[in-house]
Structures are given as structure tokens and as C-alpha cells.
Amino acid sequence: MSEKAIITCALTGVLTNPEQHPVPVTPEQMAQEAKRAFDAGASIMHVHYRQQEKGKGHLPTWDPVICNEINEAIRAACPGVVINMTTGVVGSEYGYVLDYLRACKPEMAACNAGTLNYLKTRKDGSWAWPPMVFDNPASKVKDFIDVMKECNIIPEFECFDIGIVRSVGLYIENGMTDHADYNFVMGVASGMPADPDLLPLLVKYKKAGMPWQATVIGRQDVWAVHEKVAELGGNLRTGLEDCFYLPDGTKASSNGPMIEALANCAKKAGRDVSSPAETRKTLGLN
């Protein structure tokens, strides 16, 4: 039997409007959605946090009081769950994100590992939003790694293209970090495509012996990638942040069915799903 698959649920995402999609916002909603995912096999919750005022649930918050309240609600609903907090911000002012990590001290946190032109076009070729640079220079990456070391947080390196995958290897060679949990982000229009054929190359170019998973953004095309990840021995992630559609093309009403479908990908590849205790042991957490 090949290694057990660790499943992450990406509960809600950064800007998805709760008035248009069934994404959770309040501590109670976040805990309820986390529990559905947890019961279906997710042992890690990747969490974004939203403003709690009425009509502002589509906007992010970095307020540690709100974030800790949501984390505590998730932990109470899901005994032993691992919290993985978001850190992605544009621009050179990000000290408040470092402060939020220090205040919340999750077990894991995203560490966006390189810069990307973040682009998307509409059907008529016009920009879906003004062209944006998601800036993650090495100096910014190092600041995040240093705070994560200080707080005993495992960084999960988000890699949007193959050059960023290779950059993570350079961070190890340079001594910025001695461990890399790779997350191959696939399906962003100006990044790596959601293409199962690309996965063996990404695995080839990451540092040997380091764990990896894929975040796959899109519609039905994502599930072929998840199946390939499971076959190649990667860890698995999905949720309403990444995708709204189940393998049969129907729209998911909750994170629970998304994680059930992901657990099925693991089983099809002959792999069991890692329990929270097993995930903590694998990651070296208490």
C-alpha cells in the first residue's frame, strides 16, 4: 500500500461573494463547513478570513481576534485538525500579515514563493480585472519564512509556475529554509495550466524527498489532475476556494462532497486517507 494521502480543504477563499456562492464567513459557518470536510477525510483546513459586518462578507480581514475566533471554532468542531492560514497580499506593506501569524500561531501557513503576472481575459479578450502583479520577491518570502520559523509554523510554498518550483530549491540551497512542503497551483490563467501531463515534470523539478500537493483551480478539468496527483503519491487539496464543481459536473453546495470526491481519488489510486493524528505525525506536529 502506498503512502496515505493527506487531504486539505480550502474552505472559503479570498474574495468569493457569499451572496453568490455557498461559501462560509462567520465562525459558526466556518466550523460547520470544516466539520463536513473533516468528516469526509480532510485533516488540514486552509483558511481565509472575512470581515464579519453585514454586507462585507466578501472582503478579507487580517484581524487576529476574528481569525483566532474562527480557528477556535474550527478546532472545537474538528478535534485534532491542522490549521493552515493564508498569507497572500499584494504590495510591499505586509507587516500586518506577519503580526497576524505571530498572534494566531497556526500549525501551517501558505508562503507564496514567487512573483506572478496575475491575468485573466474575458471571452471578448478584454481583461477580467486590471492586470496585476502578485509580487513575492525573495526578500518578502524570507520575511515570511523567518516569522514562521520564530512561531514554529510549517511553510507551505505556493508555486504558480515551474520557475517558482525551482526557486524553492534555491531557497533551500541558500539556507533560507531546510524543508519545503510544495503546493503546485494549477489553473490560474497566467500560471501553470490544470494539466495532468505537467505533474510528472513538476515532481521531477522539486527537491527530492519533500512532500507536495496540487491546488487545482477551474471546473471539470480539475478532477483528472487530482486523480493524477493521487497516482503519483502527492497529497490532495480541494474546496470551495478552488472549485465549485464535482466530478460529474454538478455544482457543490458544500465542502463535504468536494472532499468525499477527493478521498475517492485517493482510494482509486490504492491509497488510504491520512487521519488527523497520522497527518500530525507525518508533519512533525504535536
Side-chain angles (χ1 to χ4, degrees):
M1 178 65 71
S2 55
E3 204 169 298
K4 291 189 176 184
I6 295 173
I7 294 183
T8 296
C9 179
L11 286 168
T12 196
V14 62
L15 288 171
T16 314
N17 192 334
E19 291 172 14
Q20 294 170 343
H21 300 284
V23 291
V25 171
T26 67
E28 295 75 20
Q29 290 166 348
M30 293 289 279
Q32 187 179 41
E33 276 294 294
K35 175 87 166 74
R36 288 172 178 157
F38 186 77
D39 290 347
S43 53
I44 299 175
M45 301 297 157
H46 175 66
V47 193
H48 287 253
Y49 307 86
R50 308 297 192 84
Q51 294 183 25
Q52 299 295 304
E53 294 85 357
K54 192 166 174 59
K56 292 194 173 177
H58 61 296
L59 298 171
T61 183
W62 301 92
D63 180 344
V65 175
I66 294 170
C67 300
N68 271 326
E69 191 182 341
I70 288 170
N71 288 350
E72 283 164 22
I74 291 171
R75 287 187 175 116
C78 309
V81 75
V82 175
I83 300 284
N84 174 339
M85 290 174 69
T86 184
T87 63
V89 284
V90 172
S92 57
E93 298 297 321
Y94 50 85
Y96 60 95
V97 185
L98 302 178
D99 291 341
Y100 127 118
L101 285 176
R102 289 187 178 107
C104 296
K105 293 186 170 59
E107 293 93 334
M108 297 182 77
C111 186
N112 292 283
T115 296
L116 181 77
N117 274 315
Y118 213 91
L119 311 173
K120 188 179 180 181
T121 51
R122 297 192 183 93
K123 281 180 182 162
D124 66 0
S126 64
W127 294 120
W129 54 73
M132 180 183 99
V133 176
F134 186 22
D135 58 315
N136 297 291
S139 56
K140 185 174 179 180
V141 175
K142 185 176 187 304
D143 287 342
F144 277 97
I145 291 172
D146 288 349
V147 169
M148 290 184 202
K149 276 184 192 163
E150 173 195 319
C151 299
N152 206 21
I153 300 166
I154 293 171
E156 179 189 270
F157 291 100
E158 318 295 304
C159 302
F160 292 86
D161 69 31
I162 199 157
I164 298 176
V165 173
R166 297 179 74 200
S167 294
V168 172
L170 299 175
Y171 301 153
I172 292 172
E173 288 172 25
N174 184 254
M176 284 166 59
T177 184
D178 57 6
H179 174 85
D181 202 314
Y182 287 83
N183 184 5
F184 304 142
V185 183
M186 306 174 83
V188 173
S190 54
M192 296 188 290
D195 180 354
D197 294 342
L198 186 56
L199 280 167
L201 283 174
L202 300 177
V203 174
K204 177 182 173 182
Y205 283 108
K206 76 174 185 68
K207 281 285 187 187
M210 299 291 172
W212 64 281
Q213 67 174 337
T215 290
V216 197
I217 296 160
R219 288 187 72 146
Q220 288 92 323
D221 55 342
V222 306
W223 291 99
V225 182
H226 290 311
E227 288 183 5
K228 190 73 170 176
V229 171
E231 287 168 20
L232 292 173
N235 293 316
L236 297 162
R237 165 182 149 156
T238 195
L240 296 177
E241 172 175 354
D242 302 341
C243 176
F244 295 122
Y245 297 92
L246 294 164
D248 65 2
T250 59
K251 198 166 183 184
S253 58
S254 158
N255 284 290
M258 300 287 288
I259 298 303
E260 278 172 31
L262 205 55
N264 282 335
C265 291
K267 287 175 189 135
K268 269 174 77 175
R271 297 173 67 193
D272 289 334
V273 170
S274 176
S275 71
E278 289 165 336
T279 294
R280 285 179 171 275
K281 190 175 177 188
T282 301
L283 297 175
L285 301 169
N286 295 328

